[in-house]
Amino acid sequence: MPELPEVETIRRDLAPLLVGRSIARVRIHPGAERLAVTDAPRELERALTGRRVDALDRHGKYLLARLDDGRTWVMHLRMTGSLVHTAADTTAARFERARVDLDDGNSLRLNDMRKFATWHLVAEAREAMRRTGPDALSDEFSVAWLRAALARRSAPVKAALLDQKVAAGVGNIYADEACWIAGIDPRTPADELGPRRVARLHAAIRETLEQSLGDRGSSFSDYRDGLGAEGLHHVNVHVFRREGQACGRCGGTVVKTRVAARGTHFCRGCQRR
DNA sequence: ACTATGCCCTGGGTGC
DNA sequence: TGCACCCAGGGCATAG
């Protein structure tokens, strides 16, 4: 599942290949109509055709392509989406849902087994991000911000971390990893964490995201970078999908439970309430 | 404003 | 081998 490090890796891969290029043709394939969440698929295809990409940005898990008509093409890969740059004559992958042919003989393929990915156009990127808080790697995501956000929640701290209003870009993998690094039981009510533990959690969020970014993301299942390659970070995680294995810090057992209706992994030995 | 639940979607895994 | 289930979960809508 592409979270912040994965989406940022894709952005860095694709930016030099997309910026300055114009879109020659767009095809949303039959059966994938729900990719276009606001406009009808044919309208979105038409609106993108002929546009030049002026910049490729990211906020949380959203990719934001700034177009030469001033609008922003907002893309979210959700669970199983990937966005891969290939030659135009490359055979479609099994789960290709859409393709964008560029003016240089290359194309961008959206592969998405489960069809949760979304594309839409907005006049202002800000309007599409209004339900989303500060990006977890930005300066706006400060210790003070996190402390204030957690202080008004009684839900488990993991549920708070998954809320994109709190920390945009953090998903299930890095929420578990951040709790482990900080030594916090993910089930702990958010408002019970003291200032020192919140500060540790904030540092842990930054640490796990940056480590994964350095490894070009985690490929537990479908994630691929902008060129179709897997990330490397899934072999370096501490708890995510390591249930039954020994904790690398205390030797305790990593267990799996459910928190906020999500599979949640933590060490029974060294993560405290 | 927060919290909990169901929905979307489909391949892969499990149990019989 | 076949087949019916169950699971994975990001973001949104909805109800409380």
Side-chain angles (χ1 to χ4, degrees), chain A residues 234-273:
Chain A
H234 49 284
V235 298
N236 291 328
V237 295
H238 300 106
V239 285
F240 190 76
R241 295 202 184 161
R242 290 192 72 245
E243 60 266 35
Q245 298 180 41
C247 169
R249 180 167 53 203
C250 76
T253 305
V254 175
V255 295
K256 180 177 180 182
T257 183
R258 280 188 92 74
V259 177
R262 298 291 180 258
T264 298
H265 314 74
F266 67 100
C267 173
R268 222 182 234 141
C270 58
Q271 289 182 252
R272 304 291 164 79
R273 282 203 173 231

Side-chain angles (χ1 to χ4, degrees), chain A residues 49-256:
Chain A
T49 303
R51 300 277 60 78
R52 187 186 66 232
V53 178
D54 285 342
L56 187 62
D57 299 328
R58 180 192 59 76
H59 186 99
K61 303 172 195 170
Y62 289 91
L63 275 173
L64 305 167
R66 317 282 178 173
L67 305 176
D68 65 349
D69 64 356
R71 290 199 281 181
T72 299
W73 176 18
V74 181
M75 294 174 266
H76 198 298
L77 297 169
R78 303 288 176 121
M79 309 293 301
T80 60
S82 66
L83 205 54
V84 180
H85 183 270
T86 68
D89 59 1
T90 300
T91 307
R94 183 177 174 197
F95 301 116
E96 183 179 299
R97 305 304 185 194
R99 63 179 288 164
V100 177
D101 293 327
L102 305 173
D103 61 353
D104 63 353
N106 290 308
S107 69
L108 208 54
R109 314 297 178 94
L110 175 76
N111 302 315
D112 182 23
M113 181 182 86
R114 283 159 72 183
K115 302 185 182 177
F116 283 165
T118 57
W119 282 0
H120 68 288
L121 281 172
V122 293
E124 287 291 335
R126 199 174 318 178
E127 81 188 50
M129 296 298 114
R130 72 183 192 283
R131 295 167 189 274
T132 305
D135 186 86
L137 285 185
S138 69
D139 292 342
E140 289 71 37
F141 180 69
S142 63
V143 176
W145 165 271
L146 183 61
R147 191 191 308 126
L150 298 184
R152 57 174 180 261
R153 286 155 190 272
S154 57
V157 61
K158 165 141 180 194
L161 293 183
L162 291 175
D163 185 340
Q164 299 301 290
K165 198 85 194 156
V166 173
V170 174
N172 208 35
I173 300 170
Y174 303 108
D176 281 2
E177 292 295 298
C179 286
W180 181 86
I181 292 169
I184 293 168
D185 184 324
R187 301 167 297 183
T188 310
D191 56 6
E192 290 181 14
L193 291 175
R196 290 190 56 212
R197 304 188 84 201
V198 172
R200 277 168 62 192
L201 182 59
H202 179 270
I205 292 166
R206 287 281 170 80
E207 181 180 325
T208 188
L209 294 175
E210 281 166 7
Q211 291 270 318
S212 179
L213 192 49
D215 286 338
R216 301 182 57 78
S218 307
S219 290
F220 283 97
S221 52
D222 305 270
Y223 167 68
R224 297 295 181 274
D225 66 23
L227 303 174
E230 293 187 7
L232 305 170
H233 191 69
H234 49 284
V235 298
N236 291 328
V237 295
H238 300 106
V239 285
F240 190 76
R241 295 202 184 161
R242 290 192 72 245
E243 60 266 35
Q245 298 180 41
C247 169
R249 180 167 53 203
C250 76
T253 305
V254 175
V255 295
K256 180 177 180 182

Side-chain angles (χ1 to χ4, degrees), chain A residues 25-29 40-49:
Chain A
R25 182 172 179 266
V26 181
R27 287 294 177 268
I28 294 170
H29 300 322
R42 298 294 87 82
E43 283 176 37
L44 180 58
E45 290 173 349
R46 188 165 51 244
L48 288 170
T49 303

